[in-house]
Amino acid sequence: MTEIEWWEYDDAGEMADAVAGDIGFIIESAIDARGAAVIALAGGKTPLPIYEKLAKAKIDWKRVTIVPGDDRMVPLGDPLSNVTAIGKIFIPKGARVIPLISATVADYKAAGRSADAILQDLHWPLDLCLLGIGADGHAASIFPGPDFDEALNGPKERRALGVMPDPLPPEAPVARVTLSKEAIVSARALMIALTGDKKREVLEAAIEQGASSSYPAGRILADVELPVDIHWAA
């Protein structure tokens, strides 16, 4: 198991300030070292305050490429679309925001292959992968279901794939495209941001269970070799 450090905050606003600062430092370090930064950002509502703070940083955003760590098989502009929410914040700053979902691809497996091809053209590994955690222990869109093993144990060169959660989450009952476990664990920096006691309990259990965890997050973190920062607010 990798080294894990927990950072605790009194509220989500304080967490947003701290995490945005850390991400900004990682981006600027990548630009200094390689002339550009490629990062994957978590979807959902929890990290949006982080992104709003981050977007105010004085960064050369034209050198930054952002992909969602996962996305739902919905059209651009749909409330469930992660890339739409991320794009609204960062495209006006000049960042390049790349969708994982193509509007012309209806089959989720084909959508995953298309996303993988897009990511193969990017500088790799990711300079940062920011994950969220679901109350059921999923991370990115690596859920239990027919594609679970492929997401965890597929070819090391695969960066993204289509997945069908089983059961489908009631709040977003659609197929997904997600980064593979290999894409996540190979990132130069890995951070997790979460809120609430329930998610913390699940993540602590997942970490303790390790490679045999019943939670996807535990299976992912068991293969991470670099230190992981976990940011949590009640």
Side-chain angles (χ1 to χ4, degrees):
M1 174 62 72
T2 187
E3 176 188 338
I4 290 175
E5 185 161 4
W6 286 82
W7 302 85
E8 299 182 5
Y9 306 93
D10 291 333
D11 56 54
E14 184 185 355
M15 181 175 81
D17 284 335
V19 178
D22 286 356
I23 295 174
F25 176 78
I26 290 168
I27 291 172
E28 289 178 330
S29 298
I31 291 172
D32 287 345
R34 290 174 290 283
V38 181
I39 65 172
L41 295 181
K45 295 178 180 175
T46 298
L48 291 180
I50 297 170
Y51 304 158
E52 287 162 359
K53 296 274 189 182
L54 176 61
K56 295 176 182 176
K58 293 181 179 178
I59 289 169
D60 186 354
W61 287 104
K62 289 183 173 60
R63 295 179 179 270
V64 181
T65 298
I66 302 172
V67 297
D70 68 304
D71 216 340
R72 289 82 173 248
M73 289 281 293
V74 294
L76 276 175
D78 189 288
L80 293 178
S81 168
N82 288 334
V83 78
T84 297
I86 291 169
K88 282 180 180 176
I89 296 172
F90 291 106
I91 289 175
K93 306 300 293 186
R96 180 187 180 203
V97 178
I98 298 181
L100 295 181
I101 306 290
S102 168
T104 61
V105 180
D107 174 73
Y108 80 93
K109 289 278 200 181
R113 291 191 293 272
S114 174
D116 183 62
I118 290 168
L119 296 185
Q120 294 293 335
D121 289 337
L122 297 183
H123 162 81
W124 213 257
L126 292 164
D127 293 300
L128 166 71
C129 183
L130 174 69
L131 292 176
I133 300 294
D136 58 358
H138 79 268
S141 271
I142 299 180
F143 284 91
D147 310 292
F148 186 51
D149 183 68
E150 187 179 2
L152 290 175
N153 302 310
K156 287 188 177 294
E157 64 272 13
R158 179 174 295 152
R159 298 178 180 179
L161 70 158
V163 293
M164 182 67 75
D166 184 19
L168 283 169
E171 71 279 5
V174 294
R176 318 292 178 97
V177 171
T178 184
L179 292 179
S180 66
K181 181 192 76 172
E182 186 63 30
I184 294 168
V185 304
S186 67
R188 287 189 168 94
L190 181 60
M191 297 166 55
I192 298 173
L194 69 159
T195 57
D197 292 333
K198 169 64 175 171
K199 288 185 178 181
R200 176 167 184 154
E201 289 171 11
V202 167
L203 184 54
E204 286 176 334
I207 291 168
E208 187 164 335
Q209 292 166 4
S212 61
S213 179
S214 58
Y215 297 114
R219 302 279 291 276
I220 294 167
L221 290 174
D223 274 356
V224 177
E225 295 179 359
L226 295 174
V228 176
D229 286 323
I230 300 177
H231 300 268
W232 175 81

